[in-house]
Amino acid sequence: MEAIKVEQSSPLQGSVNIPGSKNSSLALLAAACLADEPVTLLGIPNIADLRVIYELGSEIGLNVEHAADGAVLIDPRNISSAHMDPVKSSTFRSAYYFVGALLAKFGKVSIGYPGGDDFVSRPMDQHIKALKMMGASFAFFDRYYTVEAKELKGATIYFDMITCGATINVMLAAVRAKGTTVLLNAARDPEVTDTANFLNQMGARITGAGTDTIRIEGVSALKGCTYTVIPDRLIAGAFLMAAGVTGGSVTVQNVIPEHLTSCIAKLREIGIEIEVDNHSIMAHSTGILRATRVRTAMYPGFATDLQQPLTALLTQAGGKSIIGERIYPARFNHAYQLNRMGADIKVRSGVAYIKGGTKLHGSLVHASDVRAGICLILAGLCAEGTTTIAGVQHIDRGYEDVVGSFRALGANISLYNSEAPAAMGTALRESN
């Protein structure tokens, strides 16, 4: 089993090029199935979740080729089935995008239940409600569910809660539905806008993406195009925090600073100097970190995917910090791992109370999900001794060569194979 070994490192220095957004890429690859011609996507990262999508796609007739320049060439013309392998499609959450992408073309989609990181509650009720309003029916089985619709019709849909996944999924379904669909209380995430821009380039008629009201006029056909995915704001934010953890200076290149507005504001509040350019952001440590209070929220609020690396940063900030997790209240497995390293964090009812300024020491820890893994890497960079992180497969789901990226900044980090972390990871999962 692979594990990551992290040694206490000198202040990180340098720049890192941010890859394409994982969350956008998942949506764009599904959206490409709506086209009637080949599509070329640029900037798609080479990560585990996307490799599963390629496998799923090939099984239903989707042809995916990787060009030498990193472009992903997608030809949906030979898709012959909308039956997705229930096991593979349950390995990541956003497989449900294939429902929206394939339903209008095939009339029936079969797929496994949402998987991915385990934050206890990932309800599908808004997906179900919206698609039913458009004429779909659902049938639920032990390992999979089916969605069927003889014809999808436009509808005015109000989301009872802001949900990025349901907004994208229903938008995909509405693109080739008959009539006009209006989404109210829609998610405003950059990934929603990115998906809408891609669909529009293929010939869709979508307006309002990036606001809470999206209007989609159904079309009968979509053409091919070449499109570049937006950079991953969540990876960028984590690297900015790494500068504060180690007392260094890190520049993230190829970013859209507007997507990180709330993160930048919070890092400045904590005491990190931030310089923003057109397509880059530099974070420079002043040597002083201040405690803060954070509540995660849907975009443009502070992202839930950034609270985990932020927790590692706040263990080094003087005073008592409080993080309220309003999106996934159970998303605090990383806090228990940080406590193994000497942190003083108490979690109650979706809120973490962090006593900062504590010295961390290397330990055997387990990454329970993608962002928790980055949190533990940041903690390991400032901890005395050696930190061994198991659960590398979770990190691989969202980061391409994370070890190489940190090493390029001067981090003392390496990947190795060992039997010990496997047993240790099992024990840690059982203890939490």
Side-chain angles (χ1 to χ4, degrees), residues 39-371:
V39 167
T40 299
L41 293 176
L42 306 177
I44 302 295
N46 181 19
I47 56 176
D49 273 5
L50 298 182
R51 291 193 289 273
V52 175
I53 282 189
Y54 301 147
E55 290 181 21
L56 282 168
S58 66
E59 292 173 0
I60 64 172
L62 180 69
N63 185 46
V64 179
E65 297 181 9
H66 299 269
D69 61 358
V72 179
L73 313 177
I74 304 165
D75 189 344
R77 291 176 296 180
N78 292 321
I79 296 178
S80 58
S81 167
H83 173 72
M84 314 294 288
D85 182 275
V87 176
K88 289 180 182 176
S89 58
S90 289
T91 60
F92 62 102
R93 171 179 53 89
S94 54
Y96 49 52
Y97 291 149
F98 283 99
V99 174
L102 297 175
L103 190 56
K105 271 189 174 183
F106 292 92
K108 184 176 181 179
V109 181
S110 172
I111 196 165
Y113 292 102
D117 298 330
D118 182 11
F119 306 139
V120 179
S121 176
R122 285 185 179 271
M124 288 180 55
D125 59 308
Q126 298 302 298
H127 300 250
I128 296 168
K129 163 189 166 178
L131 291 173
K132 280 185 174 180
M133 290 179 68
M134 296 176 69
S137 61
F138 285 73
F140 301 96
F141 305 93
D142 288 342
R143 299 170 57 202
Y144 67 97
Y145 64 100
T146 62
V147 189
E148 192 167 0
K150 291 183 178 180
E151 181 179 75
L152 287 174
K153 296 181 179 180
T156 297
I157 298 161
Y158 177 82
F159 291 113
D160 299 306
M161 57 182 292
I162 301 175
T163 160
C164 180
T167 298
I168 291 176
N169 201 11
V170 179
M171 187 166 64
L172 294 174
V175 165
R176 297 189 71 146
K178 287 194 174 181
T180 300
T181 300
V182 180
L183 307 182
L184 304 175
N185 199 30
R188 299 162 56 189
D189 302 57
E191 294 78 14
V192 173
T193 304
D194 201 32
T195 306
N197 289 341
F198 172 51
L199 291 167
N200 281 341
Q201 195 161 321
M202 291 195 294
R205 297 175 181 173
I206 304 172
T207 57
T211 75
D212 61 4
T213 302
I214 301 176
R215 184 183 181 91
I216 308 110
E217 294 182 28
V219 297
S220 59
L222 293 173
K223 62 185 179 180
C225 70
T226 297
Y227 188 82
T228 302
V229 65
I230 59 172
D232 199 309
R233 60 191 171 106
L234 306 172
I235 291 178
F239 276 109
L240 295 176
M241 294 174 192
V245 166
T246 64
S249 180
V250 173
T251 300
V252 292
Q253 305 278 5
N254 183 36
V255 295
I256 301 175
E258 180 186 353
H259 294 172
L260 287 148
T261 300
S262 59
C263 176
I264 290 170
K266 188 56 62 175
L267 293 182
R268 282 174 170 158
E269 182 182 311
I270 292 169
I272 298 174
E273 292 182 352
I274 302 287
E275 295 182 17
V276 178
D277 206 342
N278 288 336
H279 301 290
S280 67
I281 306 170
M282 186 190 77
H284 176 71
S285 171
T286 61
I288 300 174
L289 297 174
R290 296 185 290 269
T292 191
R293 294 189 175 197
V294 181
R295 285 185 180 179
T296 64
M298 296 299 295
Y299 187 86
F302 193 88
T304 175
D305 283 340
L306 287 175
Q307 70 93 343
Q308 291 160 293
L310 181 69
T311 304
L313 176 63
L314 292 177
T315 65
Q316 304 305 297
K320 187 175 183 178
S321 295
I322 300 175
I323 296 180
E325 177 53 77
R326 303 177 69 183
I327 309 301
Y328 297 114
R331 194 178 193 176
F332 281 112
N333 284 337
H334 60 290
Y336 305 111
Q337 303 303 307
L338 290 173
N339 283 345
R340 291 175 60 90
M341 299 175 67
D344 186 349
I345 305 172
K346 294 180 174 58
V347 178
R348 295 193 297 271
S349 302
V351 180
Y353 302 88
I354 306 162
K355 183 179 180 181
T358 56
K359 286 186 177 181
L360 301 183
H361 53 77
S363 182
L364 299 174
V365 290
H366 180 264
S368 57
D369 60 79
V370 178
R371 313 301 169 183

